[in-house]
Amino acid sequence: MLDIIEEIKRVKEDAEPLTLAELNGKLHRTLSEASHNKFLVDILENIRLKLKIVRVTLFTSFQRREEELKEHSGIAMAIIERNPDKAYQLMKGMN
């Protein structure tokens, strides 16, 4: 999970929106698979496929790239710290 966030940090300034959307998808997929909840994994994948154009468009904004990185980093750290309440609150507050 942290390796994906580090990759996003490394490329976020110069990457094409599609590249960032793919990395974002990889992070979401990693998190959902870590839940060991097949229903969650399937639903997330279904949503991601239907909203692909929206996800790519999202990453045309450099401000949103920064916000997304900050949100994902906080969630990842909460998970690593085994703090589900904090992770939940951070997920709830995402834009």
Side-chain angles (χ1 to χ4, degrees):
M1 180 171 38
L2 287 179
D3 57 329
I4 300 168
I5 290 174
E6 288 303 317
E7 178 71 6
I8 293 169
K9 282 182 187 175
R10 190 178 67 73
V11 303
K12 72 177 169 52
E13 297 297 326
D14 300 319
E16 293 293 321
L18 181 59
T19 301
L20 289 171
E22 288 170 352
L23 286 167
N24 184 48
K26 187 175 179 182
L27 179 64
H28 285 201
R29 193 170 26 263
T30 299
L31 288 171
S32 68
E33 289 172 353
S35 75
H36 303 288
N37 181 333
K38 183 170 176 12
F39 181 73
L40 177 65
V41 173
D42 290 346
I43 293 233
L44 180 63
E45 189 60 28
N46 192 352
I47 291 169
R48 294 193 63 70
L49 290 172
K50 290 181 176 167
L51 297 177
K52 185 173 185 173
I53 189 69
V54 174
R55 291 184 299 109
V56 172
T57 304
L58 176 72
F59 290 106
T60 59
S61 164
F62 286 96
Q63 179 181 351
R64 185 62 196 138
R65 291 177 185 202
E66 288 292 331
E67 292 168 355
E68 186 105 348
L69 178 59
K70 184 178 176 184
E71 291 166 352
H72 286 153
S73 295
I75 292 165
M77 290 311 299
I79 291 169
I80 289 166
E81 294 166 357
R82 298 186 181 275
N83 188 338
D85 293 332
K86 182 178 178 183
Y88 173 74
Q89 289 303 318
L90 289 168
M91 287 181 202
K92 238 175 95 173
M94 286 186 72
N95 294 326

